[in-house]
Amino acid sequence: MEDGSWVLVNRPTDRDLWNPTSTYLEDSKPLKITSTGPAKYWTDAIPIGNGRLGAMVWGGVSSELIQLNEDTLWTGTPIDYTNPDAPEALADVRNLVDSGEFAEASDAAAKLFGTNANVYQLLGDIKLEFDGSLLMCAEETYYRELDLDTATARVKYFVGDVEFTREHFASYPDQVIVTKITGSKEGSVSFTVSFDSKLDHHCYITDESEIVMEGRCPGKRIPPKVKVNDDPKGILFAAVLGLQISDGAGFMSVLDDGKLKVEGANWVVLHLVASSSFEGPFTKPSESEKDPTSVSLRALKSIKMQSYSELYSRHLDDYQNLFHRVSLQLCKGFDRSVGDRYLEIKNLMPYGNKCVEGNKDVVPTVDRVRSFQSDEDPSLVELLFQFGRYLLISSSRPGTQVANLQGVWNKDLEPKWDSAPHLNINLEMNYWPSLPCNLSECQEPLFEFIKSLSINGSKTAQVNYKTSGWVVHHKSDIWAKPSADKGDVVWAIWPMGGAWLCTHLWEHYSYTMDEDFLRNKAYPLLEGCASFLLDWLIEGHGGYLETNPSTSPEHMFVAPDGKPASVSYSSTMDMAIIKDVFSAIISASEVLGRNEDAFVQKVQKAQPRLYPTKIAEEGSVMEWAQDFKDPEVHHRHLSHLFGLFPGHSITIDKNPELCEAAENSLYKRGEDGPGWSTTWKIALWAHLYNSEHSYRMVKRLIKLVDPDHEVAFEGGLYSNLFAAHPPFQIDANFGFTAGVSEMLVQSSIRDLYLLPALPRDKWGNGCVKGLKARGGLTVSMCWKEGDLHEVGVWLKNGSSSLQRIHYRGTTVTVNLCCGKIYTYNAQLECVKTFSLA
């Protein structure tokens, strides 16, 4: 320990920087979601995943259900997303808007509809039926957990004097879901196993005693109320389940009904692999040359060559390289003098109920959620924060599809909202924690998706709108659907989806400072997006450039003639997104030496002509270009506050009057709403430096949802910590993690803000390690009694950087050199440096 430091107790190695478990703040509560009984509902089950494959583990005793997903199983096929009649309809809508006939424009905008998005599907179930004697399980011995530190699900219980254990993990390196079943007494493991699926499928057993399930997704949107011959060929899939049993104990047999039976084994390992015929969003399933059965059988053959311990070791190395980059410990303040700093912060950490034999000393997570409104246990906030990071690692990895509305986990053929990526908040929120919470690799599927969208979206832009560049609307699917959906104008007619996604490209550069990424991937997509926006903007009121038609996602207004409407011009969100895209283009061009390009000059001339954000007469941010009457002041969307977060056009330093109006808008919206809305408000309040209201929204989310009595739009958490709309939507889990990080650290490329919205009376003491900040920074810090104690900052890659560090009115300018850790005290004085070389 040097100088009584909390942050850097021991001299760090490079591994220490990426593995916070090796340094300070030991003995905090284990990062485990626990239960003392099997799942009763899907939202009680344990989610595991490797980005592509997902599973929900129910943890039954007499029987076990493992529900499976594979991220390329979708209905439909690629189609033409253009509409040659759209230009005429667009002209009509624009004329009506110009005439102030907003209700009529809203009706006419229905002619701009495209086709419905397709639907995410499920894979199927592994069903295990155990020996009938297991019905005698002693309930007090049952224990079930998801260990976030190892991404492992475990189930334990006793039957008589025999302890049975099941362990499940989803390996990214080996692309397999693994289950190990053991009994403490020799020859005690006996069960039958089978496959099932709600999709069209059949099963058989190979000569190698492997169960194969083959099937296909509907070639049309669900439900396919047609004969198979009338349905286009959809995506084919295969799943293969292989079993390994203990040497010298037990045997396996094939039953007539396509099941395998294991008797008298010491242990059994199950390997689940799966594949589909999907070859990309531009290849029809009927033209795919990929045989999912052959692919799966080859994968299983390779996996069978490895032992369970080898598979598990590879899984841990891969997963923990990501998960261990960030640690967070929080606890409440105290009212006594502080002695030795390291010992105090160590002892202040909340200790957990130990995971002991049986469940007598376990406080189930469901009870912790239920009691949070009274005890406000900070360790539950830690768990929920890290659960969001776990879910992102488990549902979005290089080479997979983007995390959809439910990540990768789905049990229905007709999931709510098609479980499709929604681009008017949900998909973007899914990736909010990736950069600040040190999981930048998990964004790669998003960038590949944007690239596919730009290809289809360029055709839609050209045909539907007679513009250059590319466009995407509010909802898409695995086929990279760019066009407006079919349904209701209030949400479907919103051509800003691609533009919002493009802000993630610049954000990735601003956090990583990866110039190759900016030049080769980000800039071409940004340029195409901005090209569309320049053509979409038209001369409008007061000499401004405006968007028409324009909506504020999913929200209506009362037109001056008293009629309900949703279509007008230049909504505040439209303008805020376009401002961010234009700013990104200009900033990127400066980095790449392209600021003299004619295209960039055109963007620079257009930017100051964008319709400004205005303040309504009653003091809130105007949601539309005109101060229309709002028929639903507590609406769930906060679109008009995009410029505050995640955008950058409203800041306390530069726009104090708009920040005051944003605060009034948040008061006006209220605290009620679905989970994703609640977590957006965490971040919005944090950017107003309002720790009290940020924390109120943290607390607002952590309330238990009863699956038997769900109330739509009320938010909350299920017992497995899935966040609720209700029903389950994963975006709130990701939004929570991002929101907490914004409470602790905010940044621009040249500015670092420490503890801007720390709730001092709730999290008075704590440490965070490994958060990322713009400019390529990594940040670790500790605080005591609500005040910053020490902060470590370093650049791992790149050149030196001039930074401004801000903390409660104090600002220092520092020159950070790559490869050195700089440690600052509460007065932002550099107290030591350490070289990583």
Side-chain angles (χ1 to χ4, degrees):
M1 180 169 62
E2 292 187 18
D3 304 325
S5 169
W6 282 341
V7 175
L8 301 172
V9 173
N10 302 304
R11 283 194 176 277
T13 64
D14 189 59
R15 178 170 176 81
D16 290 328
L17 298 179
W18 297 98
N19 183 5
T21 61
S22 67
T23 53
Y24 60 93
L25 294 177
E26 301 170 358
D27 298 329
S28 62
K29 182 171 285 189
L31 292 172
K32 295 183 177 183
I33 298 171
T34 60
S35 177
T36 54
K40 181 181 178 182
Y41 304 96
W42 186 78
T43 48
D44 298 330
I46 294 173
I48 59 174
N50 64 11
R52 184 177 65 88
L53 298 173
M56 295 291 285
V57 180
W58 284 58
V61 175
S62 61
S63 63
E64 171 64 291
L65 178 63
I66 305 172
Q67 293 179 301
L68 304 170
N69 293 104
E70 203 274 354
D71 70 351
T72 63
L73 300 193
W74 283 75
T75 65
T77 65
I79 62 170
D80 180 2
Y81 298 103
T82 63
N83 176 8
D85 297 327
E88 183 179 351
L90 176 63
D92 290 342
V93 173
R94 284 179 166 170
N95 287 333
L96 289 168
V97 168
D98 288 340
S99 300
E101 299 176 76
F102 300 114
E104 291 77 9
S106 301
D107 292 337
K111 294 180 181 179
L112 295 170
F113 284 162
T115 58
N116 291 117
N118 274 286
V119 185
Y120 183 52
Q121 299 288 270
L122 45 76
L123 175 56
D125 302 330
I126 297 174
K127 295 183 175 181
L128 302 171
E129 300 290 337
F130 292 96
D131 187 287
S133 64
L134 296 187
L135 294 173
M136 304 302 292
C137 163
E139 290 185 7
E140 69 275 7
T141 69
Y142 184 96
Y143 175 71
R144 180 165 58 97
E145 72 173 25
L146 170 60
D147 184 350
L148 300 186
D149 187 61
T150 61
T152 305
R154 295 185 181 90
V155 178
K156 295 183 179 182
Y157 53 86
F158 275 83
V159 175
D161 60 348
V162 180
E163 183 181 31
F164 291 92
T165 303
R166 298 199 294 272
E167 196 168 65
H168 312 260
F169 65 91
S171 166
Y172 176 73
D174 293 293
Q175 290 296 300
V176 60
I177 293 176
V178 181
T179 295
K180 185 174 184 180
I181 306 170
T182 60
S184 62
K185 183 177 180 180
E186 288 192 9
S188 59
V189 177
S190 300
F191 61 88
T192 61
V193 58
S194 61
F195 263 143
D196 196 10
S197 178
K198 296 177 182 178
L199 290 171
D200 179 24
H201 75 285
H202 66 279
C203 298
Y204 61 90
I205 296 176
T206 70
D207 294 339
E208 300 291 328
S209 295
E210 299 158 346
I211 307 178
V212 178
M213 177 170 64
E214 298 175 334
R216 72 179 191 105
C217 298
K220 293 181 179 180
R221 263 187 67 93
I222 47 122
K225 304 293 186 181
V226 293
K227 296 180 180 179
V228 172
N229 292 337
D230 297 327
D231 192 18
K233 185 177 181 181
I235 295 171
L236 302 177
F237 68 87
V240 182
L241 184 66
L243 278 66
Q244 292 179 345
I245 63 174
S246 50
D247 295 334
F251 61 93
M252 184 165 53
S253 57
V254 178
L255 302 183
D256 293 337
D257 51 1
K259 298 180 180 179
L260 291 177
K261 184 174 184 179
V262 175
E263 297 179 90
N266 297 337
W267 54 261
V268 180
V269 176
L270 284 68
H271 299 131
L272 182 281
V273 295
S275 183
S276 83
S277 61
F278 180 75
E279 289 193 283
F282 312 118
T283 301
K284 294 181 179 180
S286 60
E287 298 173 357
S288 172
E289 297 181 358
K290 184 179 177 183
D291 178 7
T293 301
S294 298
V295 171
S296 298
L297 288 170
R298 284 196 302 270
L300 184 59
K301 183 178 181 181
S302 174
I303 289 163
K304 287 166 62 176
M305 304 295 290
Q306 302 182 61
S307 68
Y308 178 82
S309 60
E310 289 171 334
L311 289 170
Y312 192 58
S313 178
R314 283 166 55 81
H315 158 70
L316 282 184
D317 286 346
D318 165 74
Y319 171 77
Q320 291 183 337
N321 175 58
L322 296 170
F323 188 74
H324 279 175
R325 292 175 181 176
V326 173
S327 67
L328 173 66
Q329 287 85 25
L330 303 171
C331 77
K332 298 176 183 178
F334 59 106
D335 296 321
R336 57 185 176 82
S337 60
V338 179
D340 180 270
R341 295 169 181 169
Y342 174 69
L343 292 177
E344 284 297 339
I345 198 67
K346 178 178 176 181
N347 292 333
L348 278 168
M349 289 301 101
Y351 291 93
N353 295 292
K354 296 180 179 179
C355 301
V356 298
E357 181 179 299
N359 62 24
K360 59 182 179 295
D361 291 324
V362 173
V363 177
T365 302
V366 63
D367 290 342
R368 296 177 65 189
V369 175
R370 187 180 286 115
S371 65
F372 187 84
Q373 296 299 311
S374 57
D375 67 27
E376 301 183 59
D377 177 10
S379 68
L380 185 57
V381 176
E382 299 169 20
L383 182 65
L384 191 56
F385 170 86
Q386 293 287 22
F387 185 52
R389 297 183 68 246
Y390 166 83
L391 291 175
L392 186 57
I393 296 169
S394 302
S395 62
S396 183
R397 301 291 294 274
T400 75
Q401 303 303 305
V402 290
N404 62 45
L405 204 61
Q406 297 177 196
V408 72
W409 300 277
N410 167 44
K411 63 181 175 60
D412 300 313
L413 291 178
E414 301 182 53
K416 193 70 172 176
W417 302 294
D418 303 334
S419 196
H422 288 62
L423 281 58
N424 64 4
I425 177 59
N426 311 106
L427 180 59
E428 292 86 358
M429 184 178 280
N430 283 2
Y431 288 93
W432 282 357
S434 58
L435 292 168
C437 298
N438 218 329
L439 296 173
S440 61
E441 299 94 327
C442 294
Q443 275 194 310
E444 289 191 24
L446 179 65
F447 301 146
E448 291 302 311
F449 188 50
I450 296 173
K451 183 178 178 180
S452 296
L453 288 169
S454 72
I455 294 171
N456 281 339
S458 64
K459 300 172 187 173
T460 300
Q462 181 179 5
V463 175
N464 290 28
Y465 300 135
K466 301 297 184 182
T467 68
S468 60
W470 59 275
V471 62
V472 181
H473 293 73
H474 106 287
K475 185 178 180 184
S476 190
D477 56 27
I478 198 170
W479 308 111
K481 173 186 177 295
S483 57
D485 217 51
K486 188 176 183 179
D488 195 324
V489 168
V490 72
W491 44 259
I493 307 304
W494 191 72
M496 291 292 126
W500 190 346
L501 288 179
C502 273
T503 64
H504 286 249
L505 297 165
W506 174 250
E507 291 285 33
H508 184 83
Y509 169 76
S510 69
Y511 274 90
T512 65
M513 307 302 284
D514 184 343
E515 196 168 315
D516 287 340
F517 168 83
L518 183 64
R519 176 180 290 104
N520 300 320
K521 290 186 177 181
Y523 195 83
L525 292 169
L526 279 165
E527 192 173 39
C529 174
S531 180
F532 164 76
L533 294 174
L534 286 171
D535 288 351
W536 180 248
L537 290 163
I538 56 179
E539 293 287 337
H541 302 71
Y544 290 112
L545 295 175
E546 66 181 34
T547 57
N548 178 6
S550 175
T551 61
S552 191
E554 304 188 28
H555 198 190
M556 301 189 73
F557 59 87
V558 178
D561 59 7
K563 298 177 181 177
S566 58
V567 171
S568 63
Y569 64 94
S570 300
S571 72
T572 300
M573 189 186 213
D574 278 10
M575 293 297 113
I577 290 175
I578 295 171
K579 286 173 188 174
D580 266 27
V581 172
F582 283 2
S583 293
I585 278 284
I586 293 168
S587 298
S589 70
E590 292 172 353
V591 174
L592 300 176
R594 301 187 59 172
N595 49 315
E596 298 299 325
D597 288 3
F599 176 76
V600 177
Q601 296 290 312
K602 191 175 181 181
V603 171
Q604 289 178 329
K605 291 178 181 178
Q607 190 175 39
R609 297 186 61 203
L610 296 175
Y611 203 85
T613 302
K614 293 189 174 182
I615 299 174
E617 185 176 348
E618 42 79 33
S620 63
V621 173
M622 282 173 51
E623 189 163 356
W624 300 275
Q626 295 185 33
D627 197 2
F628 296 126
K629 182 180 178 182
D630 187 345
E632 190 181 354
V633 294
H634 300 311
H635 194 269
R636 60 196 176 277
H637 279 260
L638 300 130
S639 306
H640 53 315
L641 301 185
F642 175 94
L644 180 63
F645 184 86
H648 303 282
S649 57
I650 300 176
T651 67
I652 286 180
D653 293 339
K654 297 179 181 178
N655 318 97
E657 71 291 341
L658 284 177
C659 285
E660 183 179 351
E663 182 174 294
N664 291 334
S665 296
L666 284 168
Y667 282 121
K668 182 178 177 181
R669 276 292 195 259
E671 296 185 353
D672 294 336
W676 61 264
S677 180
T678 301
T679 59
W680 194 354
K681 290 169 187 172
I682 294 173
L684 288 166
W685 280 115
H687 276 257
L688 294 172
Y689 300 168
N690 191 317
S691 59
E692 177 189 354
H693 278 83
S694 245
Y695 181 78
R696 284 171 65 91
M697 301 319 296
V698 167
K699 189 174 179 180
R700 177 72 175 73
L701 183 73
I702 307 177
K703 63 178 184 179
L704 189 65
V705 175
D706 180 354
D708 281 332
H709 302 93
E710 293 182 353
V711 180
F713 303 103
E714 283 204 353
L717 299 174
Y718 295 102
S719 70
N720 66 358
L721 295 189
F722 272 170
H725 186 286
F728 164 55
Q729 277 188 208
I730 203 168
D731 44 18
N733 287 104
F734 295 136
F736 180 87
T737 300
V740 169
S741 74
E742 296 295 326
M743 295 171 74
L744 302 177
V745 173
Q746 294 174 24
S747 63
S748 69
I749 284 184
R750 295 299 178 200
D751 294 274
L752 177 64
Y753 299 87
L754 304 177
L755 303 178
L758 177 72
R760 301 173 69 188
D761 58 331
K762 306 298 182 180
W763 306 338
N765 300 278
C767 287
V768 64
K769 182 170 184 180
L771 291 180
K772 302 293 284 189
R774 294 173 181 87
L777 302 183
T778 306
V779 181
S780 295
M781 62 181 166
C782 285
W783 57 95
K784 178 181 64 176
E785 289 296 282
D787 296 321
L788 178 68
H789 176 71
E790 203 165 62
V791 56
V793 182
W794 64 93
L795 281 167
K796 187 173 176 64
N797 299 305
S799 58
S800 61
S801 174
L802 198 66
Q803 295 285 337
R804 292 181 294 266
I805 303 178
H806 307 263
Y807 175 65
R808 289 191 190 161
T810 298
T811 299
V812 298
T813 301
V814 299
N815 189 27
L816 304 177
C817 295
C818 178
K820 286 188 177 182
I821 300 173
Y822 297 81
T823 304
Y824 301 89
N825 62 18
Q827 290 73 44
L828 301 185
E829 299 167 337
C830 186
V831 294
K832 58 180 175 288
T833 62
F834 177 73
S835 177
L836 299 176

